[in-house]
């Protein structure tokens, strides 16, 4: 509620409290001035008693309103009783002197506040009877002309008040609807705020989970693969009697250890792979394939097709990691005699194809990843999808494997 609304409410409250006193006072003064309209001391005493009763009634109601202030101003039985008694006093005073119709008009002011529902119209009609009687010269009505005038004035008085009451009720209904709408909007805002907070928590948890998966994949692609290579080299050292050959494999194991250490440090800091530190993706893939060929003794070739472009660091790192994982899987599982890696630039996307002539497998019969296992196809697919790409695998037992990763061509930030 605005300040203006509060001021209006306060003024209406004051009008309802002091209005009856003021109208009763005006009516009493006019009745005294028009003393010739009153017959004898009996009517004077009766009028005096009724005025006193009206003041006592008003004082009582003022106290009742004050006690009921915390329960609002809605119609009640007490309000209806107050209205009826006040109307009876006003009717009696107007019967004695028509100028007391000013006090009777009080019934027009607060019928909507005191009388509930359909009974409100009856209260307005009763007040209109008293006022119309005073307007035709006072009650009781004696002549036919007065009866006609009374009927016409009653229709006009009641019609106007009924129309005003109808407009007031409509405005009250609109006010209640606005209040209900505001309450619903506030509730929706509160719910949205709670939902927003919940989404922030979920986004944070999802970000943490994604970062954990990323670090796990990075560690798998660096430390795990590096340690696997080191173990393979050391196993050769253990099993060979040739000191020169053993020394050569020891040096390879040391190189792998240094390389893996550098990769691990950069992975923790979310930097690009070591192979991309000084070279673009084509050269990094060429070096990776050459190192793999030297370690495994498998014939491996690397080819670039299309117009080569400098790719975004994240795209280059993703494709290099996929290639490293695919080569690691091929060395451990494929038993291939030949392997080919092709990097294709197609203008709006980049395609990495890796094919081997190994033993192959059934993609639908892969066992679930265990705690001791690698990230494998799931990890490669997750890497591609993270940058809006995709990964497809074609393989069958005895016919080799073809892996293809397609990602958007995002150029290097300049």
């Amino acid at each position: 509620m605005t300040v203006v609304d509060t001021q209006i409410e306060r003024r209406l409250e004051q009008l309802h409290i002091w209005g009856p006193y003021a109208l009763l006072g005006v009516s009493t003064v006019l009745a005294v001035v028009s003393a010739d309209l009153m017959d004898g001391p009996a009517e004077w005493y009766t009028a005096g008693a009724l005025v006193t009763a009206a003041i006592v009634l008003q004082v009582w109601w003022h106290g009742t309103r004050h006690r009921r202030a915390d329960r609002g101003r809605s119609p009640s039985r007490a309000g209806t009783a107050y209205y009826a008694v006040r109307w009876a006093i006003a009717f009696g005073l107007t019967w004695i002197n028509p100028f007391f119709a000013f006090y009777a008009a009080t019934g027009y002011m607060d019928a909507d506040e005191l009388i509930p529902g359909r009974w409100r119209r009856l209260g307005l009609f009763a007040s209109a009877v008293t006022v119309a009687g005073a307007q035709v010269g006072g009650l009781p009505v004696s002549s036919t002309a007065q009866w006609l005038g009374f009927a016409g004035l009653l229709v006009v008085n009641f019609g106007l008040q009924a129309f005003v009451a109808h407009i007031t009720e409509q405005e009250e209904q609109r006010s209640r609807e606005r209040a209900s709408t505001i309450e619903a909007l506030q509730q929706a805002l509160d719910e949205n705020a709670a939902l927003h907070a919940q989404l922030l928590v979920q986004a944070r948890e999802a970000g943490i989970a994604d970062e954990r998966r990323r670090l796990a994949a990075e560690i798998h692609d660096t430390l795990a693969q590096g340690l696997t290579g080191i173990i393979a080299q050391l196993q050769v050292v253990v099993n060979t009697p040739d000191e020169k050959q053993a020394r050569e494999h020891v040096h390879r194991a040391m190189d792998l250890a240094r390389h893996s250490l550098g990769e691990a440090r950069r992975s923790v800091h979310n930097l690009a792979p070591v192979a991309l530190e000084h070279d673009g993706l084509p050269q990094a893939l060429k070096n990776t394939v050459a190192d793999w060929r030297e370690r495994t003794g498998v014939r491996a070739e690397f080819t670039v097709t299309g117009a080569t472009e400098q790719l975004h660091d994240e795209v280059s790192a993703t494709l290099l990691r996929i290639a490293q994982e695919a080569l690691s899987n091929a060395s451990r599982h494929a038993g291939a005699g030949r392997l080919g890696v092709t990097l294709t630039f197609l203008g709006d996307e980049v395609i990495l194809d890796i094919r081997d002539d190994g033993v192959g497998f059934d993609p639908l019969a892969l066992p679930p990843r265990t705690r001791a296992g690698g990230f494998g196809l799931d990890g490669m697919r997750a890497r591609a999808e993270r940058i809006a790409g995709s990964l497809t695998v074609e393989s069958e037992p005895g016919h080799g494997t073809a892996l293809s990763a397609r990602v958007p061509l995002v150029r290097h930030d300049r």
Side-chain angles (χ1 to χ4, degrees):
M1 183 178 292
T2 64
V3 176
V4 175
D5 292 335
T6 303
Q7 291 177 347
I8 293 175
E9 287 288 335
R10 187 181 299 111
R11 289 172 182 173
L12 287 175
E13 178 70 14
Q14 292 175 349
L15 176 63
H16 288 159
I17 293 174
W18 302 109
Y21 288 111
L23 292 176
L24 180 62
V26 170
S27 298
T28 303
V29 171
L30 292 175
V32 171
V33 172
S34 58
D36 55 334
L37 297 177
M38 301 171 66
D39 298 331
E43 288 193 352
W44 278 99
Y45 290 134
T46 302
L50 290 175
V51 168
T52 302
I55 294 174
V56 172
L57 176 67
Q58 201 62 36
V59 171
W60 169 81
W61 180 243
H62 188 186
T64 302
R65 285 175 62 91
H66 181 73
R67 289 192 299 271
R68 297 179 65 251
D70 57 337
R71 290 179 285 175
R73 305 300 185 194
S74 58
S76 63
R77 291 183 179 179
T80 303
Y82 160 73
Y83 189 94
V85 173
R86 189 183 65 187
W87 174 84
I89 294 174
F91 184 83
L93 288 170
T94 305
W95 188 281
I96 296 173
N97 191 313
F99 283 107
F100 278 108
F102 286 100
Y103 177 60
T106 307
Y108 294 153
M109 294 170 42
D110 50 11
D112 59 329
E113 180 183 343
L114 299 174
I115 305 176
R118 59 186 179 180
W119 298 105
R120 189 174 301 166
R121 298 292 190 279
L122 181 60
L124 290 174
F125 181 80
S127 296
V129 168
T130 305
V131 173
Q135 290 171 341
V136 295
L139 298 172
V141 178
S142 56
S143 66
T144 302
Q146 280 187 316
W147 274 110
L148 292 175
F150 171 76
L153 290 171
L154 178 61
V155 170
V156 172
N157 278 276
F158 178 68
L160 288 175
Q161 295 306 318
F163 175 75
V164 172
H166 177 68
I167 297 300
T168 301
E169 289 172 356
Q170 287 188 329
E171 183 60 29
E172 289 177 351
Q173 179 63 26
R174 285 193 291 268
S175 297
R176 286 192 294 268
E177 290 175 353
R178 284 195 294 268
S180 178
T181 302
I182 292 173
E183 184 179 357
L185 288 174
Q186 184 61 47
Q187 183 177 359
L189 288 174
D190 294 340
E191 292 176 354
N192 286 337
L195 179 60
H196 179 66
Q198 181 180 358
L199 289 176
L200 287 177
V201 172
Q202 292 177 349
R204 179 175 178 273
E205 293 175 350
I208 292 174
D210 186 67
E211 183 66 10
R212 286 174 177 171
R213 287 192 295 269
R214 185 193 69 79
L215 287 176
E218 292 289 340
I219 292 171
H220 171 263
D221 291 342
T222 55
L223 293 180
Q225 293 184 20
L227 290 173
T228 300
I230 293 170
I231 291 172
Q233 298 298 328
L234 294 179
Q235 284 177 341
V236 174
V237 173
V238 171
N239 297 325
T240 181
D242 187 342
E243 182 178 350
K244 181 179 179 181
Q245 186 178 6
R247 187 179 297 107
E248 180 181 348
H249 285 286
V250 168
H251 285 304
R252 288 184 181 177
M254 293 175 64
D255 291 339
L256 281 172
R258 294 190 187 95
H259 179 83
S260 298
L261 179 60
E263 287 280 8
R265 288 172 175 170
R266 284 163 175 78
S267 295
V268 171
H269 291 87
N270 196 23
L271 298 177
V274 174
L276 294 172
E277 187 172 5
H278 302 293
D279 299 320
L281 179 62
Q283 186 61 42
L285 285 173
K286 181 178 180 180
N287 295 338
T288 299
V289 172
D291 292 341
W292 184 85
R293 179 174 60 237
E294 184 178 352
R295 290 199 311 270
T296 62
V298 176
R299 182 181 174 184
E301 298 177 353
F302 172 71
T303 306
V304 179
T305 62
T308 303
E309 297 196 45
Q310 187 71 18
L311 299 175
H312 190 279
D313 293 343
E314 186 67 18
V315 175
S316 297
T318 297
L319 291 177
L320 180 60
R321 292 304 192 201
I322 290 174
Q324 290 173 336
E325 176 66 15
L327 292 174
S328 175
N329 290 341
S331 64
R332 286 181 291 173
H333 308 299
R338 185 175 179 179
L339 181 141
V341 178
T342 303
L343 182 65
T344 304
F345 291 85
L346 289 180
D348 59 349
E349 66 177 355
V350 186
I351 304 174
L352 175 67
D353 293 307
I354 303 173
R355 303 170 305 281
D356 67 64
D357 60 357
V359 298
F361 62 95
D362 182 1
L364 300 178
L366 286 176
R369 184 173 67 88
T370 63
R371 295 181 62 90
F375 279 76
L377 295 177
D378 290 340
M380 289 187 281
R381 183 170 289 108
R383 285 183 179 279
E385 292 175 352
R386 191 176 297 138
I387 58 172
S390 62
L391 182 94
T392 58
V393 179
E394 296 180 2
S395 181
E396 60 179 292
H399 292 81
T401 301
L403 179 148
S404 180
R406 307 173 72 98
V407 299
L409 195 156
V410 182
R411 293 170 178 81
H412 178 69
D413 294 334
R414 298 187 184 278

